[in-house]
Amino acid sequence: MASSSSPSWPAWRAALARWLLHDDSRQEQGFYEGEGQAQAQHHTQPWWKVMCLTGVDYFSTLGYQPGIAALAAGAVAPLATLVLVLVTLFGALPMYRRVAEQSPHGDGSISMLERLLSYWPSKFLVLSLIGFVATGFIITITLSAADAAAHLAENPLLHTWLGGHEVGITLVLLALLGAVFLKGFKEAIGIAVVLVVSYLGLSLVVIADGLALIAGQPQLAFDWQAALRQSFDTPLALIGAALLVFPKLALGLSGFETGVVVMPLVKGDPGDTEAQPAGRIRNGKKLLTTAALIMSLYLLASSLVTTLLIPAAAFLPEGEANGRALAYLAHEHLGEVFGTLYDVSTIAILWFAGASAMAGLLNIVPRYLPRYGMAPEWSRAHRPLVLVYLLLAVVVTLAFRASVDAQAAAYATGVLAMMTSAAIAVTLSAARQGQNGAKWMFGVISLIFVYTLGVTTLDNPQGLWIALLFVAGILAVSVSSRVGRSFELRVSSVQLDAAAHDLLAQFPIRPLRLVSHHPGRSTTAEYQKQELRVRQMVHLPDEDPFVFLEVEIDDASEFTDVVEVTGLRVGRYGVLRARGSSVPNTIAAVMLHLRGKGAPPQVYMRWTEESPLHLFFDFLIGGRGDVPPLTREILRRAEPDRDRRPIVHVGG
């Protein structure tokens, strides 16, 4: 028998539920929060510090990018990297500077496309893009952890014990990352600054030493040039090869989307407002530009020294430089002590790159899915989401056996899909604003990213299939959640204009009776016919007054909205006209708003004579459906007290 002092299983379960669903993330840096709350909590930081938060993802790719470039391009890797740098500086950077200007509150490029479209097409486009974003961020977590595990296993001091256990090490690193987020994610920017400064500083030492070795041994450069001349007859053929190989290096483009997502953390000017955060936009552009310049220099230099100094065989999957080219040089030329120190710095930033991606994922759900009604209620708390993302990361790690090379295509697909959508968004934005020069420039950039995404997908379609699995999963969860939550009272507030208040003041008798009427047929004869029909159907006495209630649908794809009610007179009839995203929800919300202290209002309706299946989809998609039972069900869920619940009468 259990001790009486021991907590019972239900008590443990309740305590666990409280811990999981208690959402204190809004009080922490790194998670989604409104601009006003960020300022009130002093969560804004100088732009260069926020750059380090995005940099743990962006700059950490130096841990594996040079090795992937050498494996994919061989001796052409430095030239292909130069193409990558040109695309970064003259394509991605101006594109995301425009995103920062038009979406300074952390919504990213997705919100630009959302605004360019409307209704359901806008929602499903956003959901699909979120699927690719989730692919990029989840693979960032798993790929970074896998590369950190490779650095641990290949360290000469640890290889004897850890070699061959990369999968287990990766899972341990993922568990530690999950533990950080389950506990909370405080002081993220401070940690990021330390990691980025130390990693870039140590990488600079490795690269500078490599460049000094190349300068001291000119034969290395001559041999490299000879290898290029032997493989390519003309400079044009060499340039063509670099362009063809460039898509395989797309991993070096990561970080821009994260840079605009964290913009609410960037400190602006004292005079910044919600509508005009000029200082934040300016500093956000500084963040993006500085990060791109730093990364471009490091990418070019690291690709050159690793290609010239490391034997080609060492880049192969079983080679010592695979996924850790700079670390290989650190051990080879600067000694085991410095090499181990560099390993520690690399492992730390790679592991924390997963933290940056996790924070990005935790931004996505509260920004979009809840207001679409396409996320379960528990998704408002960050801990259940952390567990979901961690489970996905474990599945991906086991599926790819913690291989950096195997995950590269899926990662590139997610990153390139995000950047392609951003390029298209800024192109359409420039076109709508009549900026022809910008339209053509961003149009060319869009074609470059479409080409790069297409080549990457054709070369390794596995990345696209993984991204489509994420898209399908998000669509399935979102649609099922929307269906399950459709019977909620989806109205944030009801606002009556002065005419509506004056009209209701003329009907002081309680209960207030409302007669549902289809909008558009607004003649006195039509209202007279509807009155006769209703009084006959539900035996409403001739002496009982009522008000007609009409509902117009504005955007049925929205989940929550503000219902605006206007009042008017048509002959001797009083009419309330309401606008909302769903007829049943709007009627229920208006009735609950009008019930006051007396008897609750009553509404009179007719049965619908269409197919139940058609009505079901009409409710989900068009916001109408079989209005009487749906209204009653929404009221039942919104008001459990039957004595205070408005009444629905149906006849015909």
Side-chain angles (χ1 to χ4, degrees):
M1 180 180 295
S3 171
S4 60
S5 61
S6 301
S8 63
W9 165 242
W12 275 106
R13 186 170 58 184
L16 178 62
R18 285 194 301 271
W19 179 76
L20 282 173
L21 298 178
H22 174 65
D23 187 11
D24 59 356
S25 65
R26 301 298 184 266
Q27 304 301 318
E28 301 174 0
Q29 297 174 352
F31 291 102
Y32 167 69
E33 60 184 355
E35 181 178 0
Q37 186 175 5
Q39 293 176 352
Q41 299 293 331
H42 303 290
H43 286 177
T44 55
Q45 298 286 339
W47 64 267
W48 61 271
K49 287 188 176 182
V50 182
M51 182 193 72
C52 291
L53 179 63
T54 65
V56 291
D57 174 19
Y58 194 23
F59 300 142
S60 68
T61 57
L62 290 169
Y64 46 82
Q65 173 75 10
I68 291 176
L71 188 63
V76 186
L79 297 178
T81 302
L82 176 61
V83 175
L84 173 67
V85 167
L86 293 176
V87 172
T88 297
L89 297 179
F90 298 101
L93 179 58
M95 181 176 77
Y96 274 96
R97 283 172 61 92
R98 190 179 182 97
V99 173
E101 184 175 338
Q102 297 192 12
S103 185
H105 302 301
D107 297 316
S109 60
I110 293 179
S111 67
M112 295 177 64
L113 287 172
E114 182 189 30
R115 293 194 297 267
L116 291 171
L117 298 177
S118 60
Y119 300 103
W120 288 110
S122 170
K123 306 301 185 294
F124 282 104
L125 175 63
V126 168
L127 291 175
S128 299
L129 292 176
I130 288 175
F132 284 98
V133 171
T135 303
F137 283 157
I138 288 291
I139 301 297
T140 296
I141 294 172
T142 57
L143 186 146
S144 299
D147 198 38
H151 281 76
L152 273 171
E154 293 299 329
N155 183 277
L157 302 178
L158 302 175
H159 183 71
T160 304
W161 295 278
L162 300 182
H165 299 289
E166 286 82 359
V167 174
I169 298 170
T170 302
L171 294 177
V172 170
L173 292 175
L174 291 175
L176 291 174
L177 179 66
V180 169
F181 276 84
L182 290 174
K183 172 87 168 54
F185 189 48
K186 297 180 179 178
E187 309 302 332
I189 292 181
I191 297 173
V193 169
V194 173
L195 293 178
V196 166
V197 170
S198 61
Y199 179 68
L200 290 181
L202 292 173
S203 296
L204 182 61
V205 173
V206 176
I207 292 172
D209 178 74
L211 292 174
L213 288 173
I214 294 171
Q217 304 178 49
Q219 189 62 39
L220 293 171
F222 294 146
D223 291 343
W224 174 57
Q225 294 173 10
L228 292 177
R229 283 195 298 268
Q230 184 177 1
S231 301
F232 304 97
D233 297 332
T234 64
L236 187 61
L238 180 59
I239 295 173
L243 292 174
L244 290 174
V245 172
F246 154 70
K248 297 182 179 180
L249 278 60
L251 296 178
L253 290 169
S254 66
F256 280 101
E257 192 71 27
T258 309
V260 291
V261 167
V262 300
M263 277 192 65
L265 299 180
V266 176
K267 183 179 292 184
D269 295 336
D272 281 0
T273 64
E274 188 85 15
Q276 297 290 335
R280 168 177 296 168
I281 292 172
R282 184 180 63 255
N283 290 334
K285 290 180 178 180
K286 289 181 182 177
L287 181 157
L288 295 169
T289 303
T290 305
L293 290 173
I294 292 173
M295 189 61 174
S296 296
L297 291 173
Y298 272 82
L299 281 173
L300 279 174
S302 64
S303 179
L304 184 64
V305 298
T306 53
T307 301
L308 269 63
L309 294 177
I310 299 177
F315 291 112
L316 297 176
E318 301 300 326
E320 295 181 358
N322 181 256
R324 54 185 300 276
L326 288 178
Y328 175 90
L329 290 178
H331 284 277
E332 190 74 14
H333 299 290
L334 295 171
E336 299 300 338
V337 174
F338 182 88
T340 299
L341 179 63
Y342 186 75
D343 279 340
V344 171
S345 175
T346 304
I347 291 165
I349 196 170
L350 285 169
W351 174 70
F352 211 68
S356 176
M358 182 72 82
L361 282 169
L362 292 173
N363 271 314
I364 293 298
V365 169
R367 285 189 186 278
Y368 294 101
L369 299 190
R371 61 186 174 91
Y372 292 175
M374 292 181 173
E377 192 62 29
W378 52 260
S379 66
R380 298 181 184 276
H382 80 277
R383 289 188 179 115
L385 286 179
V386 170
L387 294 177
V388 171
Y389 298 145
L390 187 61
L391 177 61
L392 289 173
V394 169
V395 171
V396 170
T397 297
L398 294 176
F400 287 104
R401 301 299 300 168
S403 169
V404 174
D405 296 330
Q407 297 178 72
Y411 181 42
T413 300
V415 170
L416 287 172
M418 285 189 286
M419 303 193 78
T420 302
S421 67
I424 294 173
V426 296
T427 302
L428 294 175
S429 173
R432 288 197 171 189
Q433 296 178 23
Q435 301 171 342
N436 290 328
K439 177 185 69 175
W440 289 110
M441 181 185 74
F442 291 124
V444 172
I445 295 173
S446 298
L447 291 177
I448 292 174
F449 282 112
V450 169
Y451 158 76
T452 307
L453 178 59
V455 170
T456 301
T457 302
L458 291 174
D459 185 60
N460 193 337
Q462 186 182 39
L464 177 62
W465 290 118
I466 293 171
L468 291 178
L469 284 176
F470 276 96
V471 172
I474 287 175
L475 287 174
V477 171
S478 299
V479 172
S480 61
S481 174
R482 178 71 181 242
V483 172
R485 298 185 63 190
S486 293
F487 299 105
E488 295 179 9
L489 186 65
R490 296 156 32 190
V491 174
S492 57
S493 65
V494 177
Q495 299 177 355
L496 280 67
D497 68 0
H501 282 289
D502 293 341
L503 178 64
L504 290 170
Q506 300 172 25
F507 290 84
I509 300 175
R510 293 294 179 268
L512 175 65
R513 292 180 172 86
L514 304 171
V515 172
S516 178
H517 183 254
H518 194 281
R521 295 171 288 187
S522 304
T523 65
T524 303
E526 181 62 35
Y527 287 122
Q528 188 174 7
K529 185 198 304 183
Q530 180 71 356
E531 177 189 11
L532 179 61
R533 186 183 293 125
V534 168
R535 292 193 185 277
Q536 290 176 344
M537 285 190 308
V538 297
H539 307 290
L540 183 64
D542 292 342
E543 63 274 11
D544 287 351
F546 65 85
V547 177
F548 281 110
L549 176 60
E550 301 176 351
V551 178
E552 296 179 346
I553 300 294
D554 45 18
D555 183 357
S557 66
E558 290 294 331
F559 188 71
T560 60
D561 61 359
V562 175
V563 171
E564 298 178 347
V565 183
T566 61
L568 68 153
R569 280 278 187 179
V570 179
R572 62 188 180 88
Y573 297 105
V575 182
L576 293 176
R577 286 183 179 166
R579 292 185 62 86
S581 61
S582 163
V583 173
N585 266 279
T586 300
I587 293 175
V590 171
M591 294 181 72
L592 289 170
H593 182 78
L594 297 178
R595 63 183 169 179
K597 297 181 180 179
Q602 302 181 18
V603 65
Y604 297 85
M605 306 184 190
R606 296 178 63 191
W607 288 113
T608 308
E609 305 208 2
E610 298 180 49
S611 160
L613 184 61
H614 174 268
L615 290 171
F616 173 73
F617 285 107
D618 184 42
F619 172 56
L620 294 178
I621 300 174
R624 296 178 180 84
D626 197 358
V627 177
L630 291 170
T631 303
R632 200 270 175 186
E633 177 62 16
I634 293 168
L635 287 168
R636 185 187 69 82
R637 297 192 183 195
E639 179 52 80
D641 187 350
R642 301 187 65 165
D643 294 332
R644 287 183 46 77
R645 185 187 305 157
I647 299 171
V648 177
H649 298 279
V650 192

